[in-house]
Amino acid sequence: MTLTRAVVAATLVVGLLAPAPASAAPARHYEQAGPHAVTVERGGPDHTLYYPTDAPGPMPVLIWGNGTGATPEPYDAVLRHIASWGFVVAAANTTQSGSGREMLAGARFLIDEDKRPGSVFHGRIDETKIGAAGHSQGGGGAIAAGADPIVDTTVPIQPGPQGQVGALHGPAFFAAGQVDLIVPSFYVRARYGQADQVPAVFGEVRGAGHFLAGDTRVRLLGAVTAWLRYWLTGDQRAKPVFFGPSCELCGDDAWSSVARNDRAGEIT
């Protein structure tokens, strides 16, 4: 599970934001940058914050966990992209995010800032719409954080063993790489299989290793953004990416395997 910053930086960002075609289907639509310019600054209890520069409100929150040995910098393009779609992202500045504690501290900081006069976030945080996501150990940290009642949805990306899937109380999207040798796809699918108490979707990116470089990274980012937009903003354009009889991901060749549990299948 060890990730070096150099390797992550080299593989995570390359080819991240390729433009989608003009006739983009919903998932491809969310591969494009969102409508907001993004501000990045240090803040909170040792966090890097990404948020829309125009700070519309109230805004949903995403708390982010890094892979082992990594900090938010290698994930910068990922987090900017999500923020451009109207989210406030709190990325914990820790190389060991598996407990989820540092991630949750970012959410609680933003909830407090929503109530503090003079804060750029005053009156602009929707504390009822909080998601947790992360990569590798940070994916395990997202599962751990997702047990907290303040977290509404969870996106574990190639997650480590941290956290208890059975403790999740909100919908979850588990993402795997088809040829990932660090966190194998069968392991991610097994964790997805434990989430029968909530709507859960499993997606395996075709030909992808642990770092999801190039086009495979773009496909993943579009799907993750769509998931967050649907569950945290109610964006109906994002819904058919995962749900209903058409289920865009289910028929997309970029995804070598997609599964939905019974609770997800009931969403039409």
Side-chain angles (χ1 to χ4, degrees):
M1 298 295 291
T2 299
L3 307 178
T4 66
R5 290 180 62 186
V7 172
V8 174
T11 56
L12 212 62
V13 177
V14 174
L16 184 61
L17 300 176
S23 59
R28 300 291 187 265
H29 172 68
Y30 296 103
E31 291 167 6
Q32 302 176 80
H36 302 285
V38 174
T39 295
V40 182
E41 62 184 34
R42 296 289 289 263
D46 198 15
H47 283 68
T48 301
L49 304 175
Y50 296 76
Y51 60 91
T53 303
D54 55 0
M59 296 176 286
V61 170
L62 179 71
I63 52 177
W64 174 265
N66 313 303
T68 305
T71 58
E73 285 85 354
Y75 300 98
D76 180 76
V78 174
L79 304 179
R80 285 179 184 272
H81 180 88
I82 294 171
S84 78
W85 280 97
F87 297 90
V88 179
V89 182
N93 296 325
T94 177
T95 60
Q96 302 291 326
S97 57
S99 72
R101 289 191 296 269
E102 294 86 355
M103 297 170 65
L104 289 166
R108 294 189 176 106
F109 165 76
L110 289 170
I111 290 170
D112 289 343
E113 286 294 282
D114 179 66
K115 300 174 176 65
R116 184 175 70 83
S119 168
V120 68
F121 302 115
H122 182 223
R124 292 174 171 171
I125 297 296
D126 186 348
E127 63 185 72
T128 70
K129 300 295 182 183
I130 296 175
H135 176 242
S136 199
Q137 184 184 151
I143 294 171
D148 192 289
I150 69 172
V151 175
D152 301 287
T153 187
T154 306
V155 183
I157 301 170
Q158 299 161 302
Q162 300 84 359
Q164 299 296 320
V165 172
L168 297 176
H169 58 87
F173 174 42
F174 293 79
Q178 185 184 26
V179 294
D180 187 348
L181 300 179
I182 298 176
V183 181
S185 180
F186 69 82
Y187 175 78
V188 181
R189 186 156 189 154
R191 300 213 77 186
Y192 148 80
Q194 298 166 358
D196 55 4
Q197 80 281 13
V198 296
V201 175
F202 167 82
E204 177 189 88
V205 185
R206 186 179 301 279
H210 192 62
F211 302 107
L212 297 173
D215 286 346
T216 54
R217 168 61 59 177
V218 179
R219 299 290 89 83
L220 176 65
L221 187 56
V224 169
T225 304
W227 182 271
L228 296 172
R229 287 286 303 177
Y230 176 64
W231 286 109
L232 297 181
T233 75
D235 185 347
Q236 293 301 301
R237 182 169 184 173
K239 185 177 182 179
V241 176
F242 304 95
F243 304 114
S246 59
C247 176
E248 184 188 336
L249 250 61
C250 300
D252 188 336
D253 287 343
W255 296 81
S256 45
S257 180
V258 175
R260 303 182 293 177
N261 69 6
D262 290 343
R263 290 180 182 269
E266 293 169 356
I267 299 172
T268 60

